[in-house]
């Protein structure tokens, strides 16, 4: 989706491997989010960032780290991947804390 | 704190109406509604920011009952294109007056048949 670019779109990892999901927005929005989506579980918030240089934990932060080095980019890192982290990951940007969210196309991660 | 959505799934014929409910055990600052087609990203439908506020877009509208801490999404004279999974998202109201992170319900799968 134009506006939020996620890379990679697909990734297969082995248990214990690490990787970083990248997200970049083309607007100047302060808020950025990482969600994971599992069948029947809806969207669960992993981490969010209300502004450049700040991050906060969401509902399911364990096993993840994030980095918001500048306003445009918000990355999600898995230090030691586990099969339970197999999911579709969505990055989103938003205007302010309560503004509408605009989602990227998603990154499908499989951990074997 | 995830909001609770009901029903989990709805099947209706083209032209019929549907209501999807979203409730929270905590005081809400805002309610968002999104629709997601299979294999795609969620798409924003509307935000309700004030208690009692109602919004509409074409034949899709929503209400926000601040007192009951719930919102409802109304789909009138449904079209085939309305099929998808609908999510409500909520931000909580804190005593400081500030709003916080947006969390989503588990979704309602809507299927519109010809």
């Amino acid at each position: 989706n134009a506006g939020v670019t996620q890379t990679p779109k697909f990734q297969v990892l082995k248990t214990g491997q690490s990787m970083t999901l990248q997200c970049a927005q083309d607007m100047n929005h302060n808020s950025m989010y990482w969600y994971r989506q599992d069948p029947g579980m809806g969207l669960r918030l992993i981490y969010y960032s209300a502004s450049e240089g700040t991050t906060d934990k969401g509902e399911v932060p364990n096993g993840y780290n994030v980095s918001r080095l500048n306003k445009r980019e918000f990355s999600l890192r898995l230090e030691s991947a586990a099969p339970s982290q197999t999911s579709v990951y969505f990055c989103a940007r938003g205007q302010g804390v309560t503004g509408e969210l605009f989602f990227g196309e998603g990154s499908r991660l499989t951990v074997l | 704190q995830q909001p609770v959505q009901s029903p989990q799934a709805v099947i209706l014929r083209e032209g019929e109406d549907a209501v999807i409910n979203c409730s929270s055990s905590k005081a809400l600052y805002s309610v968002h509604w999104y629709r997601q087609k299979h294999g795609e990203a969620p798409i924003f439908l509307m935000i309700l920011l004030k208690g009692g506020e109602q919004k509409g877009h074409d034949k899709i509208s929503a209400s926000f009952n601040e007192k009951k801490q719930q919102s409802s999404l109304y789909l009138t004279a449904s079209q085939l294109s309305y099929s998808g999974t609908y999510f409500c998202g909520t931000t909580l109201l804190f005593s400081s007056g500030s709003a916080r992170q947006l969390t989503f319900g588990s979704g309602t799968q809507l299927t519109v048949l010809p």
Side-chain angles (χ1 to χ4, degrees):
Chain A
N1 285 349
V4 179
T5 303
Q6 290 183 231
T7 55
K9 289 189 169 40
F10 299 94
Q11 183 73 48
V12 178
L13 293 175
K14 292 183 180 178
T15 297
Q17 288 185 316
S18 62
M19 76 158 297
T20 300
L21 297 175
Q22 305 285 355
C23 175
Q25 60 161 321
D26 65 353
M27 300 292 283
N28 208 28
H29 291 167
N30 284 325
S31 301
M32 295 188 75
Y33 302 77
W34 275 107
Y35 290 90
R36 61 176 287 176
Q37 186 172 36
D38 304 298
M41 299 291 290
L43 293 152
R44 291 186 291 170
L45 181 64
I46 306 172
Y47 271 93
Y48 73 106
S49 171
S51 61
E52 178 182 346
T54 67
T55 60
D56 282 288
K57 294 179 180 179
E59 304 163 90
V60 288
N62 291 344
Y64 305 95
N65 285 304
V66 289
S67 179
R68 182 87 183 271
L69 294 177
N70 55 60
K71 204 165 191 177
R72 189 172 167 271
E73 297 169 302
F74 189 35
S75 60
L76 179 72
R77 182 160 178 84
L78 288 72
E79 290 292 350
S80 179
S84 60
Q85 293 178 305
T86 293
S87 188
V88 179
Y89 291 84
F90 286 101
C91 176
R93 59 162 170 82
Q95 278 185 310
V97 180
T98 58
E100 65 179 271
L101 297 193
F102 191 92
F103 288 84
E105 290 184 326
S107 297
R108 186 174 295 275
L109 175 67
T110 301
V111 183
L112 303 175
Chain B
Q1 187 89 26
Q2 274 189 309
V4 177
Q5 279 186 244
S6 63
Q8 287 186 324
V10 179
I11 299 175
L12 51 154
R13 296 271 179 199
E14 215 173 353
E16 293 181 339
D17 302 339
V19 180
I20 300 171
N21 299 303
C22 176
S23 64
S24 172
S25 59
K26 307 261 187 186
L28 298 176
Y29 181 82
S30 67
V31 179
H32 297 222
W33 286 97
Y34 292 77
R35 177 171 62 207
Q36 184 180 31
K37 304 276 187 177
H38 183 69
E40 299 179 4
I43 300 294
F44 169 77
L45 292 176
M46 63 189 78
I47 295 177
L48 299 103
L49 291 173
K50 297 177 185 176
E53 186 176 29
Q54 295 192 27
K55 280 199 172 181
H57 177 68
D58 196 9
K59 293 188 172 68
I60 300 176
S61 62
S63 63
F64 179 17
N65 188 322
E66 190 177 9
K67 225 173 189 179
K68 293 185 178 180
Q69 295 167 183
Q70 62 184 203
S71 175
S72 295
L73 186 71
Y74 306 94
L75 298 99
T76 306
S78 58
Q79 305 167 18
L80 295 176
S81 61
Y82 286 2
S83 291
T85 302
Y86 289 79
F87 293 98
C88 72
T90 57
T91 56
L92 302 182
L93 181 63
F94 287 78
S95 56
S96 64
S98 61
R100 295 290 295 274
Q101 56 189 282
L102 179 63
T103 55
F104 288 90
S106 56
T108 296
Q109 189 170 344
L110 184 82
T111 304
V112 181
L113 302 174

